[in-house]
Amino acid sequence: MGAEVRETAGITFRLIIDYVRQHAGERGVAALLDQSRVSATVDELVDEGRWWPYRTRLALLHAAVVVTGQPDAPWHIGSSVLRANEPGPLRAALAALGSPKRVYQLAARANAKFSAVSTIVPVHVGDRTARLTYRVLDDHPPDRADCAYGRGILSQVPVLFGLAPARIIEHGCQADGAPVCTYDLTWSRRAPLRTRLRPGGNPRLRSEAEALRSRVVDLERSVDDLVSAEGLEQVLANIADRASSAVRAQRYLLAVRLPFESHERIHGQGFGSPEGTRVGQRLLAAGGQQFAADGEALLAPVASARRPYGWLLAEQPAGTGFLPAEREHLEVYARLAATALDAATALDEAQRRGAVSESLLSLGLDLAHQRDEVGIAERVVEAVPTVVGASRSSLLLLDEEHDHLVVRAAHRFGVHRDAVGELVVPMGAAEVFGQMREDHRPRLFTREDPEPFVRGILERFDGRAMVVSPLVVQQAFVGALVASWWVDDPPSPPEEQLLRTMGSIAEQAATALANLRLLARIRHQATHDALTGLAGRTLFRDRLEQAIREVRRSGRPAAVAFLDLDRFKQVNDTLGHPAGDALLVEVAGRLRGCLRESDSVARMSGDEFALLLRDLDRSEAAVGTAERVIEVLGAPYELSAGAASISASIGLALLPEHGEDPETLLHAADEAMYAAKQQRGTVRIWSG
């Protein structure tokens, strides 16, 4: 945990080198280092986990201008930060804010991800305009190249939301003697048509959904890397070193206590050794929640279904703070890191004691790489007979709606395989199931058990005994792992050892399920609108491509509708933005009620929606659906802030008459919608 000057985030240097390499090749990169007189290697500079002195940033920015011969190189370098080059945690956290306005309001926090020696103050932020001031702190020289780099970053905020870059006018620069740099920004509330209709077509215009989708991939890769590490010590070091894959911060610290050790394990990035040890000890002593950091801190518990380990800390300088979505990102990463610790500690314990089966040791590693519940269930039931000497095994998950258990995987059931696959176990079928749901203890059952349901299950499947171990996620019962023995094949391990081992396997399965569900939640965020729960632009486009293939195959027509709310701005202006949000939620509910299960509805932007009407008897049916939608949306809305009244304008494009590719159809529907808006509350079919 060596100390270093942490003033500029490593992403800046990676982007400078990428830019120079693109315009001047590898010779240009060598010239960049020579011109800047920076002694670090290229590999060190492109490590995004490192921070560097401010003077190094200035030296490389000026050298990039000389090497490429482009005076505006710093602006281009800055403008690439939020483009496709940076699909990681910062882009996802900013995109999750929902609008350029909200990002600019939190510009001070976002700036802290890049620089510890400058501040941004939002003087005024509106729906389409903002005034920001930028200031380099005392004892650090203001510089024109640095200002251009910062303006490049600020210009790209609207691009996160499918809009054109912001236009920036500078009024005074600190480098010219002004007390601060002052920037006036303007951007369009409505995206360029090609941007709105092609959310995946241009890598520079990827939507917030795609940014969130990339978070899932990044987090999955991170846990794969952690689990693949050799040895417990390396896993611990990797957790701290790679925390930047979840949240960008100045410093990170992992403080844990392992179950078989009396001392704490502390690993950090950006902390000096004495300081890191001191902070880690305070963190563990305070139990996380009562911990007082020196700066702004995010804390996440490193805990699995198996056991709590400790805490992961991400820290920023005082007064900077974090973006709202970053807390969840760090918590997800910490939960996934706990999976790696489960596997690593199990292996370490076994190496110390030499008493655990190789199959049990490898199970945690295998589970960390599974990507769906069936994969987890199948891997677990395959391991159980080998580990505990059972004849067969099964894994059941709770159907909360019906309060019964259903089999997700079964192993070695032979002639009973189909029967066990169809088995449904009501939670109220036996009193012991209710007890297990409350106390989470595994139990051994035999044919002599007093519970009639348990005896019946054993007799039905020719069993002598079975162990049922609950699956528990965050103290909630979610399923059960079952090992059973044939009539002539009794359990061989002592009961206490058998229950303990089954409990250990169930804990690993529960951990894998919990992590999978966390990732599933982020996947849902990546494809759905956070406010209304409707599909987002990317998911709608995917569904449209599927519909096009269906039309080609079946010949049955379909239709695409663009819908724009009339008088929505008036609701925001008179009743307030919370009322506007409530209205959009109500509109989403009414739209769902107008459509069939095979149809789709998506929120495309603020007050724009898209409908996909599939498998129509005739194209004219789309007009009838659109007219019904207008009628339903036109009914009064009773909001908590007051009554509201709106209408809707809809444009239709028909498949296959108006095109057979997404861009053509969406373009046609959008143009038809604009024609409909000339007479509010109407439907128009694209006429070419």
Side-chain angles (χ1 to χ4, degrees):
M1 296 186 292
E4 58 186 6
V5 179
R6 299 176 67 84
E7 295 177 339
T8 298
I11 183 177
T12 300
F13 302 96
R14 194 260 292 173
L15 293 173
I16 292 173
I17 289 173
D18 285 351
Y19 184 83
V20 171
R21 181 177 285 123
Q22 178 184 353
H23 291 84
E26 293 300 332
R27 289 186 178 180
V29 173
L32 176 77
L33 299 185
D34 183 64
Q35 176 73 27
S36 64
R37 298 184 180 179
V38 171
S39 59
T41 66
V42 171
D43 287 342
E44 290 172 332
L45 290 170
V46 299
D47 180 357
E48 293 189 27
R50 297 188 62 170
W51 283 64
W52 299 85
Y54 172 70
R55 64 178 181 274
T56 305
R57 176 166 96 200
L58 297 186
L60 285 169
L61 286 173
H62 284 285
V65 171
V66 174
V67 171
T68 64
Q70 298 180 11
D72 56 356
W75 186 91
H76 286 294
I77 293 166
S79 68
S80 67
V81 170
L82 299 181
R83 298 181 188 175
N85 295 7
E86 170 57 10
L90 178 59
R91 181 184 173 88
L94 292 175
L97 294 175
S99 69
K101 176 180 178 180
R102 185 63 176 147
V103 175
Y104 286 129
Q105 286 174 333
L106 296 177
R109 298 186 186 183
N111 177 65
K113 310 298 179 184
F114 303 101
S115 174
V117 298
S118 62
T119 60
I120 291 181
V121 176
V123 179
H124 160 78
V125 181
D127 289 336
R128 286 184 286 176
T129 63
R131 170 167 284 194
L132 308 176
T133 62
Y134 174 82
R135 178 176 176 271
V136 177
L137 302 183
D138 295 340
D139 301 326
H140 294 83
D143 188 276
R144 269 287 180 186
D146 180 58
C147 294
Y149 172 74
R151 291 198 307 275
I153 297 175
L154 292 172
S155 72
Q156 296 301 306
V157 168
V159 176
L160 286 171
F161 307 97
L163 306 176
R167 296 181 296 277
I168 301 181
I169 298 176
E170 183 182 59
H171 301 285
C173 179
Q174 194 180 4
D176 296 334
V180 294
C181 301
T182 302
Y183 306 135
D184 282 342
L185 299 90
T186 58
W187 63 94
S188 172
R189 187 179 70 88
R190 188 175 182 82
L193 188 60
R194 63 180 182 278
T195 304
R196 288 185 287 120
L197 303 187
R198 300 185 63 187
N202 186 333
R204 295 185 178 182
L205 302 176
R206 285 160 47 175
S207 66
E208 65 273 21
E210 290 166 308
L212 284 169
R213 179 178 291 174
S214 75
R215 296 301 307 118
V216 177
V217 175
D218 289 347
L219 289 170
E220 288 176 341
R221 287 175 178 168
S222 293
V223 75
D224 284 350
D225 290 343
L226 293 175
V227 172
S228 300
E230 294 184 3
L232 177 59
E233 192 67 23
Q234 188 61 51
V235 170
L236 291 165
N238 285 355
I239 290 172
D241 290 345
R242 298 177 186 179
S244 60
S245 68
V247 171
R248 290 207 179 278
Q250 286 259 339
R251 308 196 294 182
Y252 307 91
L253 192 75
L254 173 72
V256 298
R257 287 195 180 96
L258 302 180
F260 47 83
E261 294 181 346
S262 59
H263 62 281
E264 64 274 350
R265 297 283 197 114
I266 298 170
H267 289 263
Q269 185 186 103
F271 285 87
S273 295
E275 182 191 14
T277 300
R278 186 171 61 253
V279 173
Q281 290 172 340
R282 283 200 296 118
L283 179 57
L284 290 170
Q289 298 300 328
Q290 304 302 318
F291 173 76
D294 295 333
E296 302 280 349
L298 280 184
L299 282 175
V302 181
S304 68
R306 190 178 181 189
R307 60 169 62 99
Y309 290 98
W311 296 88
L312 180 62
L313 166 73
E315 187 179 279
Q316 289 281 88
T320 55
F322 290 87
L323 301 168
E326 290 183 313
R327 180 176 299 280
E328 182 178 28
H329 291 173
L330 190 67
E331 289 174 351
V332 170
Y333 176 79
R335 288 288 299 276
L336 295 175
T339 302
L341 283 178
D342 277 346
T345 54
L347 180 61
D348 199 77
E349 285 179 279
Q351 289 172 340
R352 290 165 183 255
R353 300 173 183 174
V356 181
S357 161
E358 183 179 347
S359 297
L360 181 57
L361 297 178
S362 65
L363 179 61
L365 297 173
D366 290 344
L367 291 181
H369 296 280
Q370 299 299 322
R371 296 294 182 247
D372 57 65
E373 288 188 352
V374 172
I376 290 172
E378 290 179 345
R379 181 63 190 91
V380 170
V381 299
E382 288 170 3
V384 167
T386 302
V387 175
V388 301
S391 306
R392 57 200 176 177
S393 58
S394 57
L395 188 146
L396 301 87
L397 293 181
L398 180 65
D399 180 338
E400 294 186 4
E401 182 180 354
H402 301 97
D403 200 33
H404 61 219
L405 295 167
V406 294
V407 176
R408 296 306 301 270
H411 188 54
R412 293 186 180 177
F413 272 81
V415 296
H416 296 291
R417 183 169 184 82
D418 291 341
V420 77
E422 297 169 357
L423 182 66
V424 173
V425 180
M427 287 301 296
E431 183 179 350
V432 69
F433 292 159
Q435 296 171 355
M436 193 178 301
R437 189 180 212 163
E438 295 299 322
D439 62 27
H440 303 160
R441 289 194 300 109
R443 286 171 169 80
L444 172 65
F445 302 102
T446 68
R447 284 204 178 195
E448 290 72 41
D449 194 276
E451 287 277 7
F453 184 84
V454 173
R455 289 201 314 273
I457 288 291
L458 286 169
E459 291 171 1
R460 178 180 176 185
F461 294 104
D462 299 328
R464 177 187 182 96
M466 65 179 179
V467 172
V468 181
S469 185
L471 302 177
V472 180
V473 173
Q474 294 182 327
Q475 301 304 309
F477 175 87
V478 299
L481 178 63
V482 181
S484 58
W485 287 260
W486 299 112
V487 171
D488 56 354
D489 184 21
S492 56
E495 180 176 343
E496 182 180 351
Q497 179 183 338
L498 183 59
L499 294 177
R500 185 171 59 249
T501 305
M502 280 291 290
S504 177
I505 300 173
E507 287 173 352
Q508 291 196 41
T511 297
L513 288 170
N515 292 337
L516 188 69
R517 291 174 181 183
L518 282 171
L519 291 172
R521 188 171 68 199
I522 295 184
R523 283 193 186 95
H524 187 272
Q525 292 175 353
T527 56
H528 291 76
D529 174 57
L531 175 64
T532 64
L534 296 178
R537 293 189 295 264
T538 302
L539 181 56
F540 184 81
R541 180 186 174 86
D542 290 344
R543 290 176 177 174
L544 178 54
E545 289 176 343
Q546 293 174 7
I548 291 170
R549 290 193 293 270
E550 290 173 3
V551 170
R552 289 170 181 163
R553 185 172 57 252
S554 68
R556 292 178 63 83
V560 178
F562 251 61
L563 182 154
D564 187 87
L565 300 181
D566 304 319
R567 300 195 300 275
F568 176 72
K569 186 176 184 301
Q570 181 180 340
V571 175
N572 271 339
D573 292 343
T574 58
L575 300 181
H577 287 279
D581 288 347
L583 177 62
L584 290 173
V585 172
E586 177 68 20
V587 166
R590 294 189 187 187
L591 286 173
R592 289 190 190 97
C594 291
L595 302 182
R596 302 165 300 170
E597 189 172 338
S598 60
D599 299 332
S600 297
V601 56
R603 185 183 179 200
M604 304 297 276
S605 63
D607 58 353
E608 282 188 347
F609 298 81
L611 312 178
L612 174 58
L613 310 177
R614 286 174 158 168
D615 197 28
L616 301 173
D617 293 330
R618 51 192 177 84
S619 298
E620 291 76 8
V623 176
T625 299
E627 290 175 342
R628 185 167 68 255
V629 167
I630 288 175
E631 179 183 357
V632 169
L633 296 186
Y637 296 80
E638 294 298 330
L639 308 174
S640 59
S645 178
I646 61 171
S647 59
S649 301
I650 298 179
L652 282 172
L654 307 176
L655 245 110
E657 292 96 314
H658 298 151
E660 292 188 69
D661 65 87
E663 287 78 14
T664 301
L665 290 165
L666 290 168
H667 187 280
D670 189 73
E671 286 196 343
M673 183 268 288
Y674 272 103
K677 284 189 73 68
Q678 303 305 311
Q679 295 178 315
R680 291 181 173 179
T682 62
V683 179
R684 288 288 184 272
I685 300 177
W686 187 68
S687 57

